[in-house]
Amino acid sequence: MKVPLRFQVTEFDCGTVSLLNAFSYLFEREEIPAELVKAIHTYTLDCHDEKGKLGEGGTSKDAIAKLSSWITDYANVRNFGVKCTHLSNKDVNLDNIRDCIEKGGVVFARCHQSNEHYVIMTEIDEANVYLFDPYYLGEDHFDLDPEVGFIFDEPFKYNRIVKLKRLFSNTKKNFSLGKEENRECVLIEKNSEV
């Protein structure tokens, strides 16, 4: 059974929740190993804030890169059919994102929303990307932003629609991937070889 995608429970756990959402999107609840869920909880929220509080700085790029590698290795050993490909900088581009999504995968990405923030992308068309943002907001939050919209009736897939123009902008506007040299994403695909 599939379960609806979930929202953050703190101000800081977007990375943790978005990774869990990626697997909830791709797999039935019964297929997701508890060991994988435990690893995601263990290795995310590794950053300290300016006062030294662990976790309140969110999840680092380094943790995501290492966790992506661990997930692929784990999947190979445990015959759990998934493959993670960590991309950065110029490799975080429309072609790679579109290819992953069109093959039925999900893209876990770092973008902007007040600060650095993780989301998952699940669908794409010629002008838009459809993503699940784990940060719960009021329904009127993006009323003045013509490049972002809410979607309320797809809780298993996405809750935002974002113009591709915004996604690939070099700004710090909501859901922008930012400057090419700072971009990061993970392509998460079911591995049919298992």
Side-chain angles (χ1 to χ4, degrees):
M1 169 188 279
K2 292 273 189 181
V3 296
L5 303 180
R6 59 193 61 82
F7 291 98
Q8 294 172 226
V9 295
T10 72
E11 291 291 312
F12 318 104
D13 59 331
C14 59
T16 308
V17 173
S18 289
L19 275 173
L20 292 170
N21 281 341
F23 291 99
S24 292
Y25 176 79
L26 290 172
F27 294 95
E28 302 287 326
R29 178 174 56 198
E30 300 82 13
E31 296 175 307
I32 300 171
E35 191 174 2
L36 173 66
V37 174
K38 183 179 182 343
I40 291 170
H41 280 284
T42 299
Y43 296 111
T44 56
L45 290 171
D46 63 316
C47 292
H48 295 81
D49 72 358
E50 61 278 348
K51 295 180 182 177
K53 293 180 183 175
L54 179 60
E56 294 195 10
T59 301
S60 69
K61 290 181 178 183
D62 188 49
I64 295 302
K66 289 177 182 174
L67 189 53
S68 299
S69 179
W70 181 90
I71 290 169
T72 298
D73 291 345
Y74 169 83
N76 289 335
V77 170
R78 301 284 191 207
N79 291 324
F80 177 59
V82 73
K83 175 182 155 193
C84 294
T85 305
H86 182 264
L87 301 178
S88 59
N89 308 328
K90 66 178 173 40
D91 292 329
V92 181
N93 59 50
L94 180 58
D95 290 339
N96 287 332
I97 289 172
R98 185 181 299 282
D99 183 58
C100 176
I101 292 171
E102 288 180 350
K103 288 193 293 192
V106 63
V107 178
F108 169 87
R110 182 184 283 251
C111 65
H112 291 281
Q113 185 169 300
S114 301
N115 49 37
E116 291 183 330
H117 182 60
Y118 288 106
V119 299
I120 62 168
M121 301 177 213
T122 59
E123 292 192 19
I124 194 166
D125 61 30
E126 290 305 311
N128 306 292
V129 64
Y130 299 81
L131 56 87
F132 193 90
D133 176 7
Y135 197 79
Y136 189 82
L137 295 166
E139 294 180 15
D140 62 347
H141 189 82
F142 296 114
D143 282 357
L144 300 177
D145 189 340
E147 295 183 327
V148 177
F150 277 96
I151 298 172
F152 299 105
D153 59 350
E154 292 290 350
F156 295 86
K157 296 180 181 179
Y158 44 76
N159 63 0
R160 307 280 190 271
I161 180 172
V162 178
K163 296 285 183 196
L164 289 173
K165 175 182 170 187
R166 166 67 61 81
L167 183 71
F168 288 100
S169 71
N170 292 327
T171 68
K172 289 190 175 184
K173 291 182 178 179
N174 288 315
F175 306 110
S176 165
L177 294 172
K179 294 181 179 178
E180 190 175 82
E181 62 268 19
N182 296 325
R183 292 179 182 172
E184 174 193 33
C185 78
V186 180
L187 310 179
I188 306 174
E189 301 171 84
K190 281 189 164 185
N191 187 350
S192 59
E193 295 174 13
V194 175

